[in-house]
């Protein structure tokens, strides 16, 4: 059991059926938190829920397309009908760089798709969660946690994935603004920025001998992070101990940094 007891808390995790999102879901569940996983793939949702079947917290799954406001609203209503409340929202769903072509060669469709999936999804989910949390605050229940997984690309840029970096930088700005706006309701807002993480996405890269030999030594990481690393931060951010941490970005690149 975590030193932070989250028994009775309820967390929504978008894209929580694999990789980093699943690591967050498992860590919260192990700390006693009830978890609602929102994802577009029913089978992956089912498999993710099965990994937490023996945990102390209850697990619920919902089919949800976060780029659709109507889909998010339906998922939120269903989650509230099941658990009665939502205490934390971890927005993890999104898409990556989507190719290596130059900015001047991008199409408008590519631009809008990237923003719709990455930025609109956070907007819809956070707005639904914040409305619920502020309504509870007005009734005397002042507790809420909004957390977005962003990207180090939002801080340092990324060659030929500039539209991806743009969406992630916008998420960071949104988080900081929400931290200011929602503080009076007892709701915090934070971002977690992954660096080099062991996952199916990095497995192919790490299998490239030239990359490992020539590029990896130049990347300042002590080790490759694990999806479970995010879980540790997620449990902390859902606890009462984190009430003064708002609008921070927690960076994982083999270690932890808050600024």
């Amino acid at each position: 059991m975590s030193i932070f007891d989250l028994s009775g808390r309820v967390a929504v995790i978008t894209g929580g059926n694999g990789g980093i999102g699943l690591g967050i879901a498992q860590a919260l569940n192990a700390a006693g938190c009830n978890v609602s996983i929102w994802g577009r793939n029913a089978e992956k949702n089912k498999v993710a829920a099965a990994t937490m079947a023996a945990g102390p917290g209850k697990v619920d799954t919902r089919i949800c397309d976060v780029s659709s406001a109507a889909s998010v609203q339906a998922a939120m209503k269903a989650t509230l009908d099941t658990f009665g409340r939502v205490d934390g929202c971890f927005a993890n769903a999104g898409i990556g760089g989507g190719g290596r072509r130059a900015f001047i060669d991008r199409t408008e469709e590519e631009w809008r798709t990237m923003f719709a999936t990455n930025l609109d999804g956070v907007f819809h989910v956070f707005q639904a969660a914040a409305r619920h949390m502020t309504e509870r605050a007005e009734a005397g229940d002042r507790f809420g946690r909004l957390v977005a997984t962003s990207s180090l690309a939002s801080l340092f840029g990324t060659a030929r994935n500039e539209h991806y970096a743009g969406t992630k930088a916008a998420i960071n700005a949104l988080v900081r603004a929400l931290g200011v706006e929602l503080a009076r309701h007892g709701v915090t807002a934070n971002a977690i920025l992954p660096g080099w993480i062991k996952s199916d996405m990095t497995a192919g890269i790490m299998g490239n001998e030239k990359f490992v030999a020539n590029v990896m030594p130049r990347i300042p990481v002590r080790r490759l992070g694990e999806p479970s690393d995010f879980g540790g931060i997620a449990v902390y951010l859902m606890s009462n101990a984190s009430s003064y941490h708002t609008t921070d970005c927690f960076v994982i690149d083999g270690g932890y940094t808050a600024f």
Side-chain angles (χ1 to χ4, degrees):
M1 176 64 70
S2 167
I3 60 172
F4 300 115
D5 184 3
L6 303 183
S7 298
R9 298 293 189 195
V10 180
V12 165
I13 303 166
T14 68
N17 54 20
I20 293 169
L22 181 57
I24 289 174
Q26 291 171 330
L28 290 171
N29 177 257
C33 191
N34 301 313
V35 174
S36 182
I37 295 173
W38 296 3
R40 289 183 293 184
N41 188 312
E43 185 57 34
K44 290 180 70 174
N45 287 354
K46 181 179 178 181
V47 172
T51 68
M52 292 168 274
K58 296 179 181 178
V59 182
D60 178 55
T61 64
R62 298 287 165 192
I63 297 296
C64 181
D65 176 4
V66 296
S67 66
S68 164
S71 183
V72 167
Q73 291 165 5
M76 179 61 75
K77 181 180 184 304
T79 299
L80 291 174
D81 287 344
T82 298
F83 292 113
R85 61 187 290 130
V86 169
D87 299 289
C89 184
F90 291 79
N92 181 65
I95 56 177
R100 301 293 297 169
R101 291 189 296 115
F103 174 74
I104 56 176
D105 295 326
R106 296 286 179 179
T107 66
E108 183 176 353
E109 181 180 1
E110 289 175 313
W111 178 263
R112 294 193 179 280
T113 297
M114 180 66 69
F115 267 73
T117 306
N118 288 343
L119 188 56
D120 289 2
V122 176
F123 169 79
H124 294 144
V125 174
F126 275 8
Q127 187 176 71
R131 283 174 174 163
H132 164 69
M133 292 170 182
T134 55
E135 287 174 1
R136 277 207 338 258
E138 291 174 358
D141 185 359
R142 291 169 50 82
F143 185 91
R145 303 288 186 259
L146 302 178
V147 183
T149 55
S150 184
S151 171
L152 289 177
S154 64
L155 301 181
F156 306 119
T158 175
R160 299 202 171 190
N161 278 329
E162 62 294 310
H163 60 326
Y164 169 72
T167 63
K168 298 304 183 179
I171 289 172
N172 291 350
L174 174 62
V175 164
R176 287 182 168 84
L178 287 176
V180 175
E181 179 177 331
L182 299 175
R184 65 189 179 90
H185 299 287
V187 178
T188 64
N190 291 280
I192 304 176
L193 284 67
W196 285 94
I197 303 297
K198 288 182 180 178
S199 71
D200 53 354
M201 295 176 65
T202 59
I205 297 175
M206 300 312 296
N208 184 323
E209 294 182 359
K210 290 185 177 180
F211 178 85
V212 172
N214 300 324
V215 179
M216 278 301 292
R218 302 178 187 178
I219 300 176
V221 297
R222 294 187 294 278
R223 62 176 174 81
L224 290 181
E226 301 280 353
S228 59
D229 293 335
F230 288 86
I233 286 183
V235 170
Y236 169 75
L237 290 177
M238 271 290 288
S239 72
N240 290 326
S242 69
S243 61
Y244 61 91
H245 265 130
T246 187
T247 74
D248 287 341
C249 290
F250 290 77
V251 180
I252 301 182
D253 62 352
Y256 301 96
T257 306
F259 60 93

